[in-house]
Amino acid sequence: MSVNVSTQVKKTTIKPKKKRRQFNPRLLLLLIPPLIWLTVFLFAPYFTLFLNSFWKVDFGTIVREFTLDNYTKFFTNELYFGTLLKTLKIASLVTIFSVLLSYPLAYYINFKVKKHKQLMYTLVIIPLWVSYLVRAYAWKIVLGQEGILNNLLMSLGLIDKPLEIFLYSPYAVVLALTHIYTPWVLMSIYTSLEHIPRNLQEASKDLGAGRFRTFFKIIFPLSLPGVIAGATFAFVLTMGDFLAPQLLGGTSSMMISNVVYSLFGVANNWPLGSTIGIVTLVLVLLILEITHRLEKKASSFENAEETKGA
């Protein structure tokens, strides 16, 4: 009786056993301090804010009774919800202007400047060394009725008397915040442009692509992660800003952070202030999640392009 050896012998592959990671108690000791810090100074305050948003105020006293009136009041009151929409508009304008100013400058320093590139980059980010408050007050001096801009226009004979439209307006807030956050956006875009392989540009030119085609097909798509990161930075920081609107915007240009500040300080309405804080926090987290996904898509495209170029 013939026996088919091929049917009896089975090829077996011996898989190496995965080593189980042993628990290291030292790692737990290293994690305890940051966990305590995050719990005490981050999670606990947010949780307290969340609880306060469901309480109510009765004659200046906080009553711990569950209610959704604060959320209803926020979304139905034109003052609060309208201020949030105005804040979103100002943050969008600041983000757009910051990107439009930062990208050409970052591109020029990165690709056009041959000598003293580091010096020019340092000169651009020097405003970050100056206090935020000093820069805000500087714009107040420039835009005031007796400020530099009005005096310049009067000396040129363009106006007869100082104009009041420059200061205490949304335009002043957008201008100041754009100046304040543009260096942050530029740093992000500059870093992204700096990591673009130069051989991709050379290959594009060798294949007959012009300057504009190379920019829109190679450089701009590869720099999108930096653009998205910088734009997110400017947008989120503008959403939470309250000093520039207070110094340069006046009551007509109040932003959502100014409303929260007044509710916690002057009005003593902590539950409603907590409600606005929670809504703003959720909105910012949603924006961060969207931009994070966009940045991941842009980064995956960048990796694919670099692989092709290699």
Side-chain angles (χ1 to χ4, degrees), residues 98-113 117 120-121 124 182-194 196 198 215 219 223 226-227:
S98 297
V99 171
L100 291 178
L101 288 173
S102 300
Y103 200 100
L105 188 54
Y107 180 90
Y108 177 79
I109 296 174
N110 206 324
F111 294 107
K112 300 300 181 181
V113 177
K117 180 184 294 187
M120 286 199 65
Y121 178 75
V124 171
T182 291
W184 296 101
V185 180
L186 183 137
M187 285 193 299
S188 179
I189 297 176
Y190 180 85
T191 304
S192 183
L193 290 172
E194 198 174 32
I196 296 177
R198 296 299 188 265
F215 174 78
I219 297 177
S223 64
V227 175

